[in-house]
Amino acid sequence: MKICNKNCCGCTLCYNICPKNAITMLEDEEGFQYPYIDETKCIDCGLCKKECILNNPILKNNLPLVYACKNKDDKIRMESSSGGIFSVLADYVLALNGVVYGATFDENFNVVHEKIMSKTELFKLRGSKYVQSYLGNIFSSVLNDLINDKYVLFVGTPCQIASLKSYLLFKKQNINKLILCDLICHGVPSPLLWREHIKNIKKNMKWYYFRTKENGWNNHTEKIVYKNNSVDFNSAFSQSYKYLFHTDKTLRPSCYECSFTSINRVSDITIGDYWGIKINDFDDNKGVSLVLLNTELGKKVFEAIKNNIIYVKSNEKDCLQVNLIRPTEEPYDRKKFWKYYYTKGYDYVLKKYTPFGEKYIIKNKIKINVSKLIPIRLKNKIKNILK
Ligand SMILES: Cc1cc2nc3c(=O)[nH]c(=O)nc-3n(C[C@H](O)[C@H](O)[C@H](O)COP(=O)(O)OP(=O)(O)OC[C@H]3O[C@@H](n4cnc5c(N)ncnc54)[C@H](O)[C@@H]3O)c2cc1C
């Protein structure tokens, strides 16, 4: 039996708190996990619905302190997706003999949440992976670490953070030693499409970088490193996944209704890209992190790490970006995209929607050239009419 509709964000809270283990997370036809109840085990206690973060939203914190930050170590910053602030936070917690949770690859290159306990493992969590990560039983692992009085840093999407917090409060666990860090989130793409994307290359793949800075932070470039150490960040294929991501058609349906896309956050610290930063010379095209300190704990941690970073104070007005204001808009032709995928397959949508296919390139060249021919005033008029 299904518990909820497509507004479910797959946060696994109900799965984790069910007293009878009657809930299983199963993939739907788009590859996103949803909870299902085994009616033979269910005792109808209603906890799954009562505690759900959508029915029982967690209080958001008030206006945060805003900073632009860079890791002082340029090598680590280059390996990170933004300004490398995550690694500084992780170093801080590891130095306290704590543990760090974040997203990495499993042996089949599925994106999964994992715990690391040493600096040598940190590289696994570094870098954005544009796929909804699999949480499995990670919440109970966090609970055990806190019971054992460990410091814990948990990084994830805002819905994952809200869910973990609700889970620990439900378990009446003291969370004084837990640092919750959420990402500014555009939305999470489908694990099924990611599996499709790497199905022919994964056996030879060493690592997949969803966002490298070889061509600069402002230039979204993907990179595939193979086991024989050859590197691909030039071919149309190696760049095609990001184009699919940028179409917004591959995101989880609930992301278009996300209630966490606001400046008021559920975490202690929020990290993201500080796009369009206007502070003098701060942007060297190697990545700048936007950091929001949302709680007293967040501010305390920042005090402790601030000597290890380059930072400058900013403000709410200057740092705003789309997903701090509203959810990503659902494309009008999302359904069509998925229909093409089901009926014609992954290669077809890749060719149709990304520069991997000739038709896409020709269509876009025509679009750009036609657009150049239209005077700006007329363009603005058309825009206003379409509004
Ligand atoms: C799906 C997705 C969408 C994003 N959308 C935006 C956006 O719209 N605007 C914006 O400013 N920033 C966005 N980010 C965040 C940004 O890209 C950086 O990840 C973030 O700023 C941290 O960068 P860093 O340089 O500090 O460290 P990095 O070393 O780049 O740290 C990456 C951190 O993100 C975690 N992480 C990576 N992939 C996932 C995942 N799939 N699920 C959960 N956690 C993950 C890792 O565990 C690690 O802790 C997004 C990230 C993801 C994964």
Side-chain angles (χ1 to χ4, degrees), residues 265-326:
R265 313 294 295 181
V266 287
S267 66
D268 297 302
I269 303 176
T270 300
I271 56 178
D273 292 286
Y274 202 135
W275 294 124
I277 181 158
K278 290 192 192 84
I279 298 162
N280 281 351
D281 295 337
F282 211 75
D283 179 7
D284 53 5
N285 209 8
K286 289 182 188 166
V288 179
S289 287
L290 169 58
V291 176
L292 309 179
L293 305 177
N294 309 312
T295 61
E296 285 310 315
L297 177 62
K299 289 170 198 166
K300 211 171 119 193
V301 171
F302 190 77
E303 278 301 311
I305 62 158
K306 69 180 189 192
N307 289 334
N308 304 332
I309 56 174
I310 304 164
Y311 66 94
V312 56
K313 196 150 184 342
S314 182
N315 58 70
E316 184 194 337
K317 189 173 121 285
D318 289 346
C319 79
L320 282 184
Q321 55 166 283
V322 175
N323 295 113
L324 283 176
I325 303 170
R326 59 170 172 77

Side-chain angles (χ1 to χ4, degrees), residues 157-169:
T157 59
C159 51
Q160 291 173 337
I161 296 297
S163 176
L164 174 62
K165 193 167 176 181
S166 298
Y167 169 76
L168 293 168
L169 294 177

Side-chain angles (χ1 to χ4, degrees), residues 167-179:
Y167 169 76
L168 293 168
L169 294 177
F170 177 79
K171 292 282 178 186
K172 301 200 169 20
Q173 176 58 42
N174 182 330
I175 54 171
N176 286 351
K177 288 194 166 179
L178 171 70
I179 302 162

Side-chain angles (χ1 to χ4, degrees), residues 81-82 84-86 102-103 125-129 131 184 186 272-273 321:
S81 296
S82 307
I85 194 73
F86 158 68
L125 307 188
R126 223 170 257 143
S128 295
K129 287 110 191 150
V131 183
I184 301 173
H186 186 73
D273 292 286
Q321 55 166 283

